[in-house]
Amino acid sequence: MKVFAVLPAAGTGSRAGFSKNKVLQKIGGASVLRRTASAFARHPQVDGVLVCVNAADRAEAERELAGLAGTACCEGGATRTASVKNALEALAALPCPPDLVLVHDAARPFVSQELIGRCIETAARCQSAVCALPCTDTAVRAADGFAVQRVEREGLFTLQTPQGFSFPALLAAYRKIGPDDRFTDDSGVWAAFVAPPKLFAGERGNVKLTFAEDFAMDGYRTGVGVDTHAFCEGNEVVLGGVHIPHGRALRAHSDGDVLCHAVMDALLSAAGLADIGHFFPDTDPRYEGANSLALLAEVRALVEGEGFAVNNVSVSVVAEAPKLAPHIAKMKQNLADVLQIPQHAVGISAGTNEGLGFLGRGEGIAAIASATLCSRKSL
Ligand code: MG
């Protein structure tokens, strides 16, 4: 099954009060557009990402997307509907068009890998998949500034993206749109020309950045984390998700990735959350031999759930052996991928303890990490 994502990004910054396209604004170290596109480019079931941009933004957008595999730009239109139509026609012209297409607001950079996976799974099963949240606020209809009518909240949903569809059916629906038809999203097009779209559970963290205050970063939060593991019998150590051949292993309940553990504690601490022993207790059999990169992904989800975006992490590893320098590039890539930040926002250094103390005697490895988070809401 071939899956493509389409990201309409041809808007302006007018509602957010910016002089330029809001998705080119940076949050922490990376632009909104890059964060969103990288979430789809990284997903194992997504084959390609097509970003719709205005001619004026194209050069900057292409710079922002540099290095993201399978990502390309196409021409945006005067409306969101026109942009998506252009992208669908571009996909139809491919030698092998996709089976499914996911349309996602470029201004929702906090979309999770799980949400993308749920969208693909639902669209493959039901032809359509629209991310929805039950309405939790009281809803009313207003006239002249007065709430004239209560709207029953039961059964009321707000729709987000991603929205996934059978590609040939969505393309056929878009080709039926008349010059006076107006749609705010793709589920509207599907409802008008195909059938009521299937809903699936959205996530509260998948917010759309619309107004200037959505981008307002109330400064940064920092956290530190330290971890040490002793050597035991074995033939490799795992650091930053890289398996490094060595005459010993690190004693641990999980894979013993002391580098990831220090980073996890730094992130949790910056968010004011409890430490990794609380979230991943070593008495829990679920974490026996656990892949620490997967635990790091859970930590990212935890801090994002608190309203933060990871800005950067920095970690220093103290080990007499093995030699880490040849592996640092791969470790940085692993951490950047899991934390959804650019590689230049991951710092990793390694050194020895000059023969001093338990680290100097080669009895184990220690790591010290710091992390900064930026917040997406007032705290
Ligand atoms: Mg540990």
Side-chain angles (χ1 to χ4, degrees), residues 227 229 261 276:
D227 196 30
H229 282 264
H261 296 175
I276 63 173

Side-chain angles (χ1 to χ4, degrees), residues 97-353:
D99 304 293
L100 291 181
V101 61
L102 312 182
V103 187
H104 182 73
D105 302 324
R108 293 187 193 270
F110 304 111
V111 58
S112 72
Q113 298 291 287
E114 296 72 26
L115 198 63
I116 296 170
R118 270 209 303 284
C119 186
I120 293 170
E121 184 272 319
T122 308
R125 197 160 38 82
C126 306
Q127 298 270 298
S128 61
V130 175
C131 183
L133 284 175
C135 204
T136 53
D137 295 328
T138 297
V140 296
R141 196 171 305 282
D144 296 330
F146 290 89
V148 293
Q149 189 193 353
R150 295 255 146 190
V151 178
E152 180 56 56
R153 196 167 62 188
E154 188 67 29
L156 207 59
F157 287 80
T158 54
L159 304 185
Q160 304 186 327
T161 65
Q163 303 183 350
F165 304 93
S166 149
F167 172 72
L170 187 68
L171 177 66
Y174 262 85
R175 285 176 173 170
K176 290 181 190 160
I177 294 176
D180 298 326
D181 292 337
R182 292 284 172 270
F183 297 100
T184 56
D185 73 349
D186 305 278
S187 73
V189 178
W190 189 268
F193 299 110
V194 186
K198 174 70 179 167
L199 302 184
F200 73 98
E203 289 174 356
R204 301 252 165 234
N206 178 29
V207 292
K208 185 175 181 180
L209 304 177
T210 305
F211 300 104
E213 58 260 38
D214 299 335
F215 292 78
M217 294 298 145
D218 302 291
Y220 292 87
R221 303 267 295 247
T222 69
V224 295
V226 179
D227 196 30
T228 307
H229 282 264
F231 281 123
C232 63
E233 278 190 25
N235 49 29
E236 65 170 22
V237 297
V238 184
L239 289 171
V242 180
H243 293 248
I244 302 168
H246 189 49
R248 337 246 350 233
L250 291 171
R251 186 187 306 139
H253 186 61
S254 68
D255 61 7
D257 192 331
V258 63
L259 186 156
C260 280
H261 296 175
V263 170
M264 287 158 70
D265 260 341
L267 291 165
L268 290 166
S269 176
L273 292 167
D275 61 19
I276 63 173
H278 170 83
F279 289 104
F280 311 103
D282 61 10
T283 50
D284 189 330
R286 270 185 302 165
Y287 302 119
E288 194 170 334
N291 174 344
S292 294
L293 283 179
L295 302 183
L296 181 61
E298 287 187 43
V299 165
R300 179 184 55 75
L302 280 166
V303 302
E304 287 186 356
E306 294 296 305
F308 297 104
V310 178
N311 183 60
N312 82 304
V313 296
S314 167
V315 58
S316 183
V317 183
V318 185
E320 298 295 318
K323 271 252 166 299
L324 302 183
H327 306 287
I328 284 180
K330 178 67 181 145
M331 294 177 192
K332 284 178 71 156
Q333 186 191 327
N334 286 346
L335 264 66
D337 285 352
V338 168
L339 295 173
Q340 304 184 4
I341 53 177
Q343 281 191 41
H344 65 71
V346 177
I348 298 178
S349 60
T352 72
N353 217 33

Side-chain angles (χ1 to χ4, degrees), residues 12-24:
T12 63
S14 55
R15 268 203 293 180
F18 296 127
S19 55
K20 70 173 182 179
N21 192 334
K22 65 182 178 177
V23 300
L24 296 170

